[in-house]
Amino acid sequence: MNRTHLMCTETGEADFRLHGDCWMHLDQGVKRRGLHAYQGAVYLEESTDKDYCFRVMDGSHDFHSEFFRAFPYASEKSKRREFYKFNEEERTWYENNGCQLICVPVPKGGIVLWDARTAHDTIAPLSGRPDTDRWRCVCFVSMTPAIWAGKDDIEFKNKAYAEIAMTTHWSSQGQKRRKSEEKCDDVLSIKKLPVIARTKEAKLLMGVNSYDFNDGEPNGSPAPYWM
């Protein structure tokens, strides 16, 4: 089986659902043109449409650039911070373009992949749902071709790996460390990487070890465009 040289990123609560709940957003800003990454979520517990459930606006990735042209304020704001949360008018704009809001139930052990240009959010569980003891337990993983990573990317990834730090959505080109929002994180966080995280494969994914880009294996598509 052929393999593609990849790199990954690591990222690792809840009121009940109310009518109209929505924090639909984009993680890819206007400066990134086209497909820059596939984001992913690995589910360690089942999630049904009655639980804390992942949602997308179906087909919204096709309207990413058009959205920012239609809403100049959103475009300017996303240049400063890529995460952009929609207001009601912006969400309605996507709906009027045929991008309907759908829930994505996932079985335990399942994985969801989505184009980083996709509008998405998660919705709180229903009050009185059947499995009231079911927690949302998800590990977010995003991968991009390792050949896209420059010297600064590799230095960043090595430091994050050594310090067992969590990072945001981008595994190369625009990486940032994820800030802890809870005091208990230091108590719950691991202090030493497990054996599986110290394997050759894991170190390649994290940029600690270098791929041989001339070994005849695919290196993925060329680096994407920026504004």
Side-chain angles (χ1 to χ4, degrees):
M1 179 182 293
N2 287 338
R3 60 181 172 82
T4 296
H5 297 140
L6 295 170
M7 280 185 167
C8 68
T9 182
E10 308 167 275
T11 58
E13 80 200 322
D15 297 326
F16 289 115
R17 190 177 307 179
L18 298 174
H19 178 71
D21 276 356
C22 184
W23 64 290
M24 198 58 53
H25 65 277
L26 294 172
D27 289 321
Q28 179 169 319
V30 68
K31 288 184 177 181
R32 298 179 189 263
R33 296 298 179 88
L35 175 62
H36 272 245
Y38 284 106
Q39 294 174 229
V42 180
Y43 281 71
L44 307 182
E45 180 55 271
E46 181 181 9
S47 174
T48 71
D49 58 0
K50 297 178 177 63
D51 300 312
Y52 213 114
C53 193
F54 180 65
R55 304 190 302 179
V56 300
M57 300 200 78
D58 190 27
S60 55
H61 63 288
D62 286 331
F63 295 91
H64 184 262
S65 294
E66 188 176 338
F67 167 75
F68 285 119
R69 287 195 296 269
F71 295 94
Y73 171 79
S75 176
E76 289 304 312
K77 189 172 182 179
S78 81
K79 290 177 183 178
R80 300 188 297 272
R81 182 172 184 250
E82 289 201 85
F83 173 89
Y84 184 79
K85 181 181 175 182
F86 298 159
N87 59 34
E88 186 174 351
E89 179 187 5
E90 292 161 344
R91 174 183 164 184
T92 301
W93 181 88
Y94 271 102
E95 291 174 342
N96 290 340
N97 278 285
C99 304
Q100 297 306 305
L101 187 62
I102 60 171
C103 288
V104 185
V106 187
K108 185 174 183 177
I111 183 170
V112 177
L113 299 174
W114 65 96
D115 186 314
R117 296 168 292 180
T118 302
H120 62 283
D121 74 355
T122 50
I123 190 168
L126 285 172
S127 177
R129 64 195 169 120
D131 298 285
T132 56
D133 60 344
R134 182 181 287 154
W135 288 56
R136 181 179 182 236
C137 193
V138 181
C139 179
F140 290 105
V141 181
S142 175
M143 294 191 180
T144 53
I147 201 167
W148 293 3
K151 181 175 180 292
D152 290 345
D153 294 314
I154 297 300
E155 290 177 355
F156 174 94
K157 296 180 77 66
N158 273 264
K159 192 171 190 297
Y161 180 86
E163 297 177 1
I164 317 181
M166 298 179 74
T167 60
T168 54
H169 294 294
W170 305 105
S171 50
S172 62
Q173 300 191 341
Q175 303 168 101
K176 292 182 180 179
R177 290 177 69 137
R178 186 173 180 84
K179 296 180 180 179
S180 174
E181 298 176 355
E182 300 289 342
K183 292 182 179 179
C184 64
D185 279 3
D186 290 337
V187 177
L188 298 177
S189 295
I190 59 174
K191 304 301 180 184
K192 181 180 179 181
L193 288 171
V195 173
I196 195 170
R198 290 180 271 130
T199 62
K200 176 184 177 182
E201 291 79 9
K203 289 183 177 181
L204 284 169
L205 286 170
M206 279 305 299
V208 176
N209 291 346
S210 299
Y211 285 104
D212 177 4
F213 295 120
N214 298 309
D215 62 1
E217 298 290 350
N219 294 319
S221 59
Y225 294 104
W226 289 71
M227 178 188 285

